[in-house]
Amino acid sequence: MSKIRTAFFCQSCGYESAKWNGKCPSCGQWNTFVEERVQKDTPAKQEWKTNDNPLARTQKIISLSEVQTIAEKRLLTPDNELNRVLGGGIVAGSLVLVGGEPGIGKSTLFLQNALQLKDVKTLYISGEESEQQIKMRADRIRASNEQFYLLTETSTQTIFQEIKKLQPQLVIVDSIQTLQSPFIESAPGSVSQIRETTAELQRFAKESNTPVFLIGHITKDGSIAGPKVLEHMVDTVLQFEGDQHYAYRILRTIKNRFGSTAELGIYEMTGTGLRQVTNPSEILISQRDDLLSGVAISATMEGMRPLLVEVQALVTQSVYGTPQRTATGFDLRRLQLLLAVLEKRGGFHFGVKDVFLNIAGGIRVEDPAIDLAVLCALLSSYEDNALPNKVCFAGEVGLSGEIRAVNRIEQRIAEAEKLGFDKIFISRYNKKGIDFSKFNIEVIAVGRVEEVYQQLF
Ligand code: TYD
Ligand code: MG
């Protein structure tokens, strides 16, 4: 008997070390090292990989020109949001990881999609829920499908035997943290197990050309081996996120070998499953009749999609020596920068004010074009003067108070027009080469913060 070798693995990034460390030298996380057994490939495993595995084959070197181009066929699901996030449907043989906090709706999303794919033989492997629980969920979302097969199993060896019998066209694994390979002795959910089971599924996906979806949990404190460990092993990484207090869920692409990573899908969690939100701008802007100070609408882009969001600011007299700055859904340092610009270029005294900023709907905006709306919301609250109704903004603010051009301005203007806005403020530098006469909305081009202020107050 050979001696059992163990090693310590960082449960956050998968870094391997011979000794225990308090802080991971790779990802910098504290207290994430756990001792796991390390195994070399046993003869049994080697044999399984080559002989037993029906899908294994030997490879030889070929020239790229010999490789035949096959027209990429994508499987379109009835869910347009998912199709878009995947870059235009499911690619054959792709391995897709879907991460998200527990309870966000990952199982619901994929069960719902699988049930709607009526002519695709789908295998749903669940290591978390029993057949009854899944049936109950299916009843709740009121869907059924003859071509939907269920397997509650966690051992990859059994799973591959069943797959060989059933020959599914799509495989969904819920969740990767529950799977166990018989060749690794560590507990399910440990770094070595997650790596091994994913590698086995990856091999299966590539060799059988079957798309595989892996659902993975990420916890806020990262105590379970995070799907971070697998990000480089899979083709596409999607993240399902949302605020527990809102019904809206966002499906985001983090990595995609077959499409853009700038895509986004929006869903609403209802009593009967997830509903696609096809016109997100309407839900993100609160409908109200009376004008309030501190509110400005921004025409932002999320990926290729225009999205109108509401920025809310509250500027009050500070009671403590150090004024507070709080931002939800917006970068705090960016807020401080905009306040500094207003202080220096506009002569406003934000230094003695508490400033709170919120992006409505619980979403997070990274698009720099939101700057102008943030600035106007701040000014509106500072002056306690509501902005006119039906006005929106799209522009980045520079350090010297200039309004900078942003990308895809025509799409932003078109979206604002579609939603019934009368005026949109954009950067003067965005005017070049664009014919604004085709829009049925007044486009106001501004160059500096002062000009915006004069136009509005
Ligand atoms: P679930 O898909 O189990 O989350 P995950 O797999 O990411 O852990 O979703 C769980 C939550 O969704 C749960 O709190 C109940 C809620 N839910 C609804 O609100 N409506 C529904 O139709 C379903 C099926 C779930
Ligand atoms: Mg689940």
Side-chain angles (χ1 to χ4, degrees):
M1 279 289 294
S2 60
K3 203 168 149 259
I4 297 165
R5 194 170 84 82
T6 62
F8 292 86
F9 288 92
C10 168
Q11 302 291 299
S12 167
C13 68
Y15 181 82
E16 183 182 340
S17 162
K19 59 176 185 18
W20 188 84
N21 289 301
K23 183 183 178 187
C24 174
S26 169
C27 67
Q29 295 274 356
W30 287 90
N31 216 3
T32 52
F33 277 88
V34 169
E35 187 171 18
E36 289 177 17
R37 265 190 201 200
V38 190
Q39 274 142 325
K40 291 234 172 71
D41 279 5
T42 57
K45 183 179 173 186
Q46 293 284 14
E47 200 178 302
W48 181 80
K49 273 187 179 166
T50 47
N51 302 338
D52 241 13
N53 181 351
L55 308 160
R57 56 184 174 155
T58 47
Q59 295 287 13
K60 60 179 195 324
I61 297 172
I62 58 166
S63 132
L64 184 60
S65 53
E66 286 173 60
V67 183
Q68 280 172 6
T69 326
I70 28 174
E72 185 192 42
K73 259 210 337 247
R74 289 190 185 227
L75 173 65
L76 287 179
T77 70
D79 182 345
N80 288 328
E81 304 287 305
L82 181 64
N83 289 340
R84 195 184 38 247
V85 169
L86 289 171
I90 305 173
V91 176
S94 61
L95 187 63
V96 181
L97 173 71
V98 187
E101 284 172 21
I104 209 78
K106 302 178 293 298
S107 307
T108 310
L109 178 67
F110 284 93
L111 181 70
Q112 190 174 330
N113 265 295
L115 287 172
Q116 282 167 356
L117 279 168
K118 299 278 185 215
D119 43 5
V120 179
K121 197 192 267 182
T122 309
L123 178 63
Y124 189 96
I125 301 162
S126 179
E128 300 200 334
E129 288 161 299
S130 68
E131 283 112 350
Q132 266 71 33
Q133 284 173 314
I134 296 169
K135 177 75 180 155
M136 267 162 56
R137 194 195 292 262
D139 289 343
R140 191 167 173 194
I141 53 188
R142 301 200 191 107
S144 67
N145 184 350
E146 292 296 310
Q147 292 277 61
F148 179 81
Y149 296 88
L150 205 58
L151 176 65
T152 45
E153 176 57 59
T154 55
S155 158
T156 49
Q157 208 171 20
T158 323
I159 288 173
F160 285 120
Q161 279 162 6
E162 295 297 321
I163 285 180
K164 197 176 158 191
K165 276 188 237 157
L166 182 71
Q167 300 281 340
Q169 292 164 282
L170 176 67
V171 176
I172 297 167
V173 178
D174 188 5
S175 65
I176 187 69
Q177 271 107 349
T178 57
L179 290 198
Q180 196 166 16
S181 168
F183 305 110
I184 296 272
E185 275 184 37
S186 328
S190 63
V191 170
S192 2
Q193 275 294 0
I194 288 193
R195 270 210 201 125
E196 173 62 26
T197 48
T198 307
E200 287 175 15
L201 285 161
Q202 183 191 37
R203 219 175 299 131
F204 160 73
K206 299 292 167 237
E207 287 169 1
S208 66
N209 227 10
T210 312
V212 177
F213 282 89
L214 303 178
I215 295 176
H217 294 296
I218 41 174
T219 50
K220 282 200 183 100
D221 59 340
S223 57
I224 310 174
K228 277 239 162 299
V229 180
L230 329 164
E231 274 178 15
H232 65 279
M233 295 173 74
V234 301
D235 298 311
T236 304
V237 181
L238 304 181
Q239 189 160 316
F240 205 37
E241 54 190 43
D243 196 310
Q244 295 285 352
H245 307 291
Y246 292 90
Y248 300 110
R249 302 279 181 270
I250 293 173
L251 188 64
R252 214 185 268 283
T253 327
I254 307 289
K255 158 184 173 177
N256 195 355
R257 286 190 183 143
F258 316 111
S260 154
T261 52
E263 288 304 348
L264 188 94
I266 302 183
Y267 297 88
E268 183 184 0
M269 183 61 97
T270 67
T272 54
L274 288 155
R275 187 180 70 84
Q276 300 172 43
V277 176
T278 38
N279 195 350
S281 296
E282 278 177 4
I283 57 157
L284 292 171
I285 301 171
S286 45
Q287 313 293 325
R288 74 175 94 70
D289 302 326
D290 46 342
L291 295 175
L292 299 172
S293 70
V295 175
I297 312 290
S298 177
T300 66
M301 295 290 294
E302 271 290 355
M304 299 294 132
R305 247 172 140 194
L307 193 68
L308 268 74
V309 297
E310 182 175 308
V311 181
Q312 303 169 341
L314 182 64
V315 178
T316 57
Q317 198 61 39
S318 187
V319 275
Y320 299 110
T322 325
Q324 296 189 59
R325 270 99 181 81
T326 312
T328 316
F330 186 73
D331 184 19
L332 185 62
R333 270 175 299 178
R334 187 95 202 141
L335 170 66
Q336 280 162 345
L337 188 147
L338 293 176
L339 289 172
V341 169
L342 286 174
E343 186 99 34
K344 176 95 179 170
R345 311 285 165 195
F348 298 96
H349 301 294
F350 281 97
V352 292
K353 306 274 189 191
D354 286 342
V355 177
F356 306 93
L357 191 83
N358 179 37
I359 310 294
I363 63 161
R364 195 173 172 81
V365 180
E366 308 278 345
D367 183 3
I370 197 173
D371 283 0
L372 189 55
V374 170
L375 199 115
C376 293
L378 291 170
L379 287 174
S380 161
S381 183
Y382 183 93
E383 298 286 348
D384 201 15
N385 197 345
L387 296 175
N389 211 352
K390 306 260 171 232
V391 172
C392 64
F393 306 88
E396 184 182 343
V397 177
L399 286 186
S400 53
E402 81 275 21
I403 312 296
R404 306 173 56 126
V406 292
N407 62 0
R408 300 179 181 271
I409 195 70
E410 284 179 85
Q411 251 179 293
R412 296 174 198 262
I413 299 174
E415 177 77 2
E417 180 191 346
K418 200 172 93 194
L419 288 170
F421 282 83
D422 300 332
K423 278 183 196 164
I424 180 166
F425 281 78
I426 64 163
S427 162
R428 190 195 310 144
Y429 309 102
N430 255 139
K431 272 183 94 173
K432 269 184 233 118
I434 298 175
D435 174 20
F436 292 108
S437 60
K438 66 181 175 201
F439 295 112
N440 197 8
I441 174 173
E442 189 186 343
V443 180
I444 303 168
V446 283
R448 302 196 51 80
V449 171
E450 300 89 301
E451 284 172 54
V452 188
Y453 183 79
Q454 277 153 16
Q455 295 255 8
L456 289 171
F457 302 101

